[in-house]
Amino acid sequence: MRTLCQEESIKVPKGVKITIKSKMVEVTGKHGSLKRNFKHLPIELWLGNGGKEVKARMYFAKSKQLSMLRSVCSHISNLFDGVEKKFEYKMRLVYAHFPINANIVNGGKTVEIRNFLGEKIVRTVHMLPGVTIEKSASTKDELVLSGADIELTGRSAALIHQSCLVKDKDIRKFLDGIYVSSHG
């Protein structure tokens, strides 16, 4: 069963500027500017209520296709949050015997991981653009990633996690690695 017309809207927060031009959304705030392209989706996007809210509309869609409306609104609200307050991922270095050593180089753009499971190899992970990494001042063995774009920040955390996977051993016993402890 198709729905004739479905509409979703989200409010634009104060201090944030947004422009929408042919499904290209650009959001500007105190932490910079973010762009997102929604051209691949069959929806209408426009600014309503004198630029105070973003509206998304879809015609003749089945329920599975209607789900993309709410997804688009969530993506845009993530852009708002990013330019307002930035996203932060906290990662903990977990080890049983060999202490993992993480050095931040290149001004917070690269992290070097040494002594993982006693291996001599140096693992180098470059952060994606707009993401910075630093060691936590209060907690031992904690890395803090921060960036305005939620996707790039999350992907950078995933790159660090994937660089320290245990190979050829029972992963139930060898729990060493770098894990995301909190995000938001």
Side-chain angles (χ1 to χ4, degrees), residues 105-178:
V105 291
N106 203 358
K109 297 271 175 230
T110 309
V111 62
E112 289 179 346
I113 299 150
R114 289 184 166 83
N115 202 31
F116 173 69
L117 290 180
E119 295 171 3
K120 292 285 178 224
I121 187 171
V122 177
R123 293 164 164 82
T124 306
V125 183
H126 300 285
M127 297 296 103
L128 295 166
V131 182
T132 56
I133 185 168
E134 58 197 21
K135 281 191 171 177
S136 175
S138 56
T139 318
K140 181 179 171 278
D141 291 336
E142 188 173 63
L143 301 173
V144 180
L145 286 85
S146 58
D149 192 334
I150 189 171
E151 301 216 349
L152 294 177
T153 313
R155 276 171 54 202
S156 296
L159 288 172
I160 293 171
H161 174 73
Q162 287 171 350
S163 72
C164 291
L165 295 177
V166 179
K167 305 283 187 199
D168 301 327
K169 291 184 177 64
D170 186 354
I171 57 170
R172 295 169 298 182
K173 182 72 180 162
F174 291 84
L175 299 170
D176 296 31
I178 303 179

Side-chain angles (χ1 to χ4, degrees), residues 19-149:
T19 55
I20 299 173
K21 189 164 190 249
S22 65
K23 298 188 201 173
M24 281 290 287
V25 179
E26 186 170 0
V27 177
T28 311
K30 67 175 183 181
H31 287 298
S33 175
L34 293 174
K35 267 187 181 166
R36 184 110 194 199
N37 187 347
F38 295 108
K39 288 188 178 184
H40 61 287
L41 299 174
I43 59 167
E44 271 182 35
L45 272 177
W46 78 99
L47 284 171
N49 201 359
K52 287 196 173 88
E53 61 181 2
V54 179
K55 292 187 178 259
R57 184 190 287 157
M58 192 174 206
Y59 294 100
F60 302 111
K62 294 183 177 171
S63 61
K64 272 278 202 287
Q65 295 156 331
L66 286 177
S67 63
M68 74 177 81
L69 266 184
R70 191 76 216 144
S71 297
V72 166
C73 289
S74 298
H75 286 315
I76 293 171
S77 71
N78 280 340
L79 296 181
F80 290 152
D81 290 347
V83 296
E84 272 188 308
K85 28 182 199 260
K86 280 198 170 187
F87 288 98
E88 189 178 79
Y89 278 69
K90 290 185 176 174
M91 303 188 79
R92 296 296 300 267
L93 307 168
V94 178
Y95 49 84
H97 187 272
F98 294 103
I100 302 171
N101 188 331
N103 291 332
I104 287 134
V105 291
N106 203 358
K109 297 271 175 230
T110 309
V111 62
E112 289 179 346
I113 299 150
R114 289 184 166 83
N115 202 31
F116 173 69
L117 290 180
E119 295 171 3
K120 292 285 178 224
I121 187 171
V122 177
R123 293 164 164 82
T124 306
V125 183
H126 300 285
M127 297 296 103
L128 295 166
V131 182
T132 56
I133 185 168
E134 58 197 21
K135 281 191 171 177
S136 175
S138 56
T139 318
K140 181 179 171 278
D141 291 336
E142 188 173 63
L143 301 173
V144 180
L145 286 85
S146 58
D149 192 334

